[in-house]
Amino acid sequence: MDPTKKTIVVFSGDLDRLMAAFIIAVGAAAMGNEVTMFFTFWGLNALRRDNPPAVKKDFMSRMFGWMMPRGARKAKLSKLNMGGMGTAMMKRVMRNKNVASVDELIGQAQDLGVRLIACTMSMDVMGIKQEELIEGIELGGVASYLGSADEANVNLFI
Amino acid sequence: MDPTKKTIVVFSGDLDRLMAAFIIAVGAAAMGNEVTMFFTFWGLNALRRDNPPAVKKDFMSRMFGWMMPRGARKAKLSKLNMGGMGTAMMKRVMRNKNVASVDELIGQAQDLGVRLIACTMSMDVMGIKQEELIEGIELGGVASYLGSADEANVNLFI
Amino acid sequence: MDPTKKTIVVFSGDLDRLMAAFIIAVGAAAMGNEVTMFFTFWGLNALRRDNPPAVKKDFMSRMFGWMMPRGARKAKLSKLNMGGMGTAMMKRVMRNKNVASVDELIGQAQDLGVRLIACTMSMDVMGIKQEELIEGIELGGVASYLGSADEANVNLFI
């Protein structure tokens, strides 16, 4: 076990939970930790790029692709969303208070060497291809997660 | 602390979170870990059997019993449920991609020696009796959870 | 790493998740652990006092203050709330079964020396001032959380 390693499973795609996950990850990386984040289920959507290249998909994958938010900028609050009004209000307040957006936090995390790993099983089920994700994302499965978690001293599921 | 022990508190009864919890648990057990899962609050519903024997219950317990899903097969997605349509769609895709269902994962977990512990306080509050749970479930309280967590190197709350 | 230290990030303000967080915290403290709880985002609402002194706030902060529950007594179940009916039912059952309320659990936690830390960034974003929180709450940021988590052997995100 290494006291400078941390892992976070990012299961949720909610704006507020993504904020929490990245604030902890960026904070830990800035303090010299090796941080690994695993994006699974709805969390995977945070890594989708805005204008993905056209990829061949079956009908179900196309449906999931349409229904799920493409990128962190489309993420909504888990509470008080109120048809998008609460989310817009929260984002505006955060901008006014100089709190970084999730997109900015992803950039900071990558600059600080945080490893962002997309869960291959979730990609398969949701029909998301690697070229639809932002740059710099690794792919991995549950064994890869467990390998990292075994070496870390803080492991969170968000 | 033992690097081959893991614990997971399964608080949620959502299909997607149950999937995540069991995929991690089964993966860890397959890699030689001793895994203990504590089912509390809504997570307890995943362990309810389909055709429970008749048990005497007070009015409130009967109400909770009716309102909550009986078994993992009745669990719904936390997002995109859309009146059951999204959940059905996700289940179909998972079947097509040969992803095990939660029921199958519970069986695999038990075969691999994962300990499944039902939280006694939750059982008391929700009025669920041991004979309403599937076979092979242990009962325990918060002290039992903390005892296991103290020995483990990965502890998740899902 | 100290096997008698535990941390819990309390992100959620849902009644059921608050119950789970405090039952684990109080249980661990009663067994001799040093427990630190970090209240962030919706979790912060659990620490708001019922009759706060008048504080100057900008429009957005006032809006957030109105929309979010003031104190744990106003918290709702994450599931089966059913317009408040499910929450009321659950609270009544818990009282009948002699399960402590979240308010009582907060008191027990404080009596047992559990450190309750409010996330300063969340306070800033939501426009909540220290004098609006109950007595005995410390303030801290992500670095303070990571410092505690590094020393603990169990770290949960709820």
Side-chain angles (χ1 to χ4, degrees):
Chain A
M1 205 210 54
D2 184 329
T4 68
K5 293 192 178 175
K6 316 274 177 269
T7 74
I8 302 177
V9 176
V10 185
F11 170 92
S12 171
D14 297 327
L15 178 65
D16 39 3
R17 290 187 174 256
L18 289 174
M19 288 288 305
F22 276 103
I23 288 168
I24 294 172
V26 166
M31 289 162 80
N33 286 278
E34 260 182 64
V35 183
T36 311
M37 301 174 85
F38 289 84
F39 294 81
T40 185
F41 283 82
W42 319 107
L44 199 55
N45 290 317
L47 302 182
R48 291 170 75 192
R49 61 169 82 217
D50 218 16
N51 285 302
V55 286
K56 264 194 108 151
K57 292 200 183 197
D58 59 36
F59 176 72
M60 283 301 213
S61 300
R62 208 160 288 279
M63 287 282 284
F64 274 124
W66 278 328
M67 291 186 305
M68 296 184 309
R70 195 182 277 155
R73 225 170 314 166
K74 304 264 171 60
K76 289 181 172 58
L77 287 177
S78 66
K79 305 272 165 188
L80 287 190
N81 180 50
M82 303 182 298
M85 211 179 76
T87 297
M89 191 174 140
M90 180 66 91
K91 283 183 171 178
R92 197 171 125 195
V93 171
M94 285 186 168
R95 214 164 31 237
N96 291 346
K97 307 268 183 186
N98 291 313
V99 176
S101 69
V102 176
D103 266 353
E104 287 162 351
L105 288 166
I106 292 176
Q108 290 174 20
Q110 289 188 311
D111 290 346
L112 287 162
V114 173
R115 289 176 64 197
L116 308 181
I117 302 186
C119 164
T120 45
M121 198 200 80
S122 300
M123 289 176 67
D124 189 30
V125 167
M126 294 173 163
I128 295 176
K129 315 272 188 211
Q130 186 163 18
E131 52 273 39
E132 295 178 90
L133 302 179
I134 57 174
E135 302 261 315
I137 306 302
E138 297 173 59
L139 305 188
V142 68
S144 144
Y145 164 64
L146 287 163
S148 299
D150 258 342
E151 292 177 3
N153 72 331
V154 175
N155 299 295
L156 303 175
F157 185 101
I158 298 186
Chain B
M1 206 211 50
D2 184 329
T4 68
K5 293 190 177 176
K6 315 276 177 270
T7 74
I8 302 176
V9 176
V10 185
F11 170 92
S12 170
D14 296 328
L15 179 65
D16 39 2
R17 290 186 174 258
L18 289 173
M19 288 288 306
F22 276 102
I23 287 168
I24 294 171
V26 166
M31 289 162 79
N33 287 278
E34 261 183 64
V35 184
T36 312
M37 301 174 86
F38 289 84
F39 294 82
T40 185
F41 283 83
W42 319 107
L44 200 54
N45 291 317
L47 302 182
R48 292 170 74 192
R49 61 168 82 217
D50 216 17
N51 285 302
V55 287
K56 264 193 107 154
K57 293 199 181 195
D58 59 35
F59 176 72
M60 284 301 213
S61 300
R62 209 160 286 278
M63 288 280 285
F64 275 124
W66 279 328
M67 292 186 305
M68 295 184 310
R70 195 182 278 154
R73 226 169 314 166
K74 305 267 171 60
K76 288 181 173 60
L77 287 177
S78 66
K79 306 270 166 188
L80 290 189
N81 180 49
M82 303 182 299
M85 212 179 75
T87 297
M89 191 174 139
M90 180 67 90
K91 282 183 170 177
R92 198 172 124 193
V93 171
M94 286 185 167
R95 214 165 31 237
N96 291 347
K97 307 268 184 187
N98 291 313
V99 176
S101 70
V102 177
D103 266 353
E104 287 162 351
L105 288 165
I106 293 175
Q108 289 175 19
Q110 290 188 312
D111 290 347
L112 287 162
V114 173
R115 290 176 64 197
L116 308 181
I117 303 185
C119 164
T120 44
M121 200 200 78
S122 299
M123 289 175 67
D124 188 30
V125 167
M126 294 173 163
I128 294 175
K129 315 272 187 211
Q130 186 163 17
E131 53 272 39
E132 294 178 89
L133 302 180
I134 57 173
E135 302 261 315
I137 307 301
E138 298 173 59
L139 306 187
V142 67
S144 146
Y145 164 64
L146 287 164
S148 298
D150 259 342
E151 292 177 3
N153 72 330
V154 177
N155 299 293
L156 303 174
F157 184 100
I158 299 187
Chain C
M1 207 211 52
D2 184 329
T4 68
K5 294 191 177 176
K6 314 275 177 270
T7 74
I8 301 176
V9 176
V10 184
F11 171 92
S12 170
D14 296 326
L15 178 66
D16 38 3
R17 290 185 175 258
L18 290 172
M19 288 288 305
F22 276 103
I23 288 168
I24 293 172
V26 166
M31 289 162 79
N33 286 277
E34 261 183 62
V35 184
T36 312
M37 300 173 86
F38 289 83
F39 294 82
T40 186
F41 282 82
W42 319 108
L44 200 56
N45 291 317
L47 302 182
R48 291 170 74 192
R49 61 168 82 218
D50 217 17
N51 284 303
V55 287
K56 264 194 109 151
K57 292 200 182 197
D58 58 36
F59 176 71
M60 283 300 213
S61 300
R62 206 160 289 279
M63 287 282 284
F64 275 124
W66 278 329
M67 292 186 305
M68 296 184 309
R70 195 183 277 153
R73 225 169 315 164
K74 305 264 171 62
K76 288 180 173 59
L77 286 178
S78 66
K79 306 272 166 188
L80 289 189
N81 180 50
M82 303 182 298
M85 212 180 75
T87 297
M89 192 175 139
M90 180 66 90
K91 282 183 171 177
R92 198 172 123 192
V93 171
M94 286 186 167
R95 216 166 27 238
N96 291 346
K97 306 269 184 185
N98 291 314
V99 176
S101 70
V102 176
D103 266 354
E104 287 162 353
L105 287 167
I106 292 175
Q108 289 175 19
Q110 290 188 310
D111 289 347
L112 287 162
V114 174
R115 290 176 64 198
L116 308 181
I117 303 187
C119 165
T120 44
M121 200 201 78
S122 300
M123 289 176 67
D124 188 30
V125 167
M126 293 173 163
I128 294 175
K129 316 270 188 213
Q130 186 162 17
E131 52 271 41
E132 295 177 88
L133 302 179
I134 58 174
E135 303 260 315
I137 306 302
E138 298 173 57
L139 304 188
V142 68
S144 145
Y145 164 64
L146 287 164
S148 298
D150 259 342
E151 292 177 3
N153 72 329
V154 176
N155 299 295
L156 304 174
F157 185 100
I158 298 185

